[in-house]
Structures are given as structure tokens and as C-alpha cells.
Amino acid sequence: MTIERVLEYNGKIDFYNLQQIQFTETDCTSETTDMDVSKKLVDNEGNIVMLIEALTMDYYSNDDLYATKGCFIKRFEFTKDIINSRPWFDFIVSFITSVRYRMVLSNNQKFLAYYNYIWSQKIDGEQCVIAELLDMKIVHKKNGIVTYIGKLHN
């Protein structure tokens, strides 16, 4: 399930001093976190302003018998003040670029040049901010869980 959380930020965000940094092991919530794709945006004091944690995880459906590598968004955290700002867009573009060009090991021990799709899941009736932001489509609803998938390549 994708975890989304709005972060509390005390004070005004200094948009000129934000920097993107890679995840560390202390940031991870899963052993399978893709450290090359997961990112966080911090202020000059190290406070997290935005964060995306992604895992290599395939989504299998009845019509996808030969699932290829997918990037699952495990966690998305952000402050409301940063929405629709230049750092917000730069961060999202940087994340998508990382996902598109990531080398991924497939089941037959060969490397793929990229993830084939990106996906997330939420409980039915809850808003999925990251799915809306990345223009993912609902592909499956079952047992109160909604699965969103977005294609990365044509």
C-alpha cells in the first residue's frame, strides 16, 4: 500500500536553499527500497520538505502473465507549501527521470534498461496524490484496494 503523508513545516520554506539528496538506509521502510530512485528534498537545516520512496516490485494481473519490472511508490511525503513551486516540479521531473533510466535486474539475471511502468495502491475512497500527479490510471479495484499504473515508455 502506498503511504502518503502531508508533512508539517514550521515557518516559511526558503525555496532557494532546497536541495535534492539520495536516500540513506535510515530513510528506508523496506529492505527492497531502490536507493537509486528514491529521493528526498531537504531545506538548509536538513528538514524533509518532500520525499519519495520507491521499490522494485511487479504488479501481476490476469492479463499480464509475463509481468515486466515495475517501480512501486511505497511512500510519498510532502509539505503543502511546496506544491506547484519550481522545486516541486524539479523534484518530480528528477524522480521520473531516475525511474525511466534506472538499470533493473530481471528474473533471468539480465539487466533491463529501465522500469516499464510505475504504480501505487491506495484504499478505495482515499485520494492518491502521487497517482494524480503522475497521471496514473486506475487498472484494478479489488477487496477495497485501488491499483494505479502509469506507463513510462511507449
Side-chain angles (χ1 to χ4, degrees):
M1 196 74 62
T2 300
I3 300 164
E4 292 184 324
R5 185 172 72 137
V6 177
L7 301 170
E8 294 295 322
Y9 194 86
N10 297 330
K12 189 162 177 71
I13 296 175
D14 181 1
F15 291 108
Y16 297 106
N17 287 317
L18 297 177
Q19 58 183 337
Q20 292 184 38
I21 59 176
Q22 287 299 120
F23 255 45
T24 63
E25 289 185 17
T26 58
D27 297 316
C28 298
T29 60
S30 173
E31 293 177 3
T32 58
T33 295
D34 186 335
M35 301 294 277
D36 294 321
V37 171
S38 299
K39 297 182 178 303
K40 62 183 176 180
L41 184 67
V42 298
D43 66 8
N44 56 358
E45 295 177 11
N47 298 316
I48 296 173
V49 177
M50 197 160 144
L51 170 147
I52 297 177
E53 181 178 7
L55 315 175
T56 300
M57 186 183 297
D58 297 336
Y59 169 73
Y60 294 93
S61 64
N62 294 338
D63 59 344
D64 187 14
L65 300 177
Y66 305 101
T68 51
K69 289 296 171 197
C71 179
F72 176 68
I73 298 176
K74 166 84 169 156
R75 186 168 52 136
F76 177 57
E77 298 179 359
F78 60 96
T79 58
K80 287 184 178 180
D81 294 343
I82 197 167
I83 294 173
N84 292 328
S85 68
R86 181 66 181 190
W88 164 274
F89 290 114
D90 290 346
F91 185 83
I92 296 299
V93 168
S94 173
F95 171 72
I96 291 297
T97 301
S98 296
V99 171
R100 279 196 172 127
Y101 296 107
R102 172 77 167 111
M103 295 294 287
V104 180
L105 188 63
S106 68
N107 294 342
N108 64 3
Q109 302 305 309
K110 293 183 180 179
F111 280 95
L112 298 172
Y114 50 80
Y115 284 113
N116 289 310
Y117 58 93
I118 191 167
W119 65 292
S120 63
Q121 283 186 327
K122 287 293 272 193
I123 294 172
D124 195 10
E126 287 185 6
Q127 180 183 17
C128 189
V129 176
I130 194 70
E132 292 174 12
L133 181 64
L134 300 178
D135 197 30
M136 292 188 227
K137 307 294 184 227
I138 295 174
V139 295
H140 195 259
K141 284 186 180 186
K142 186 175 182 179
N143 299 330
I145 297 174
V146 180
T147 302
Y148 303 85
I149 291 184
K151 297 285 184 190
L152 293 171
H153 298 278
N154 294 330

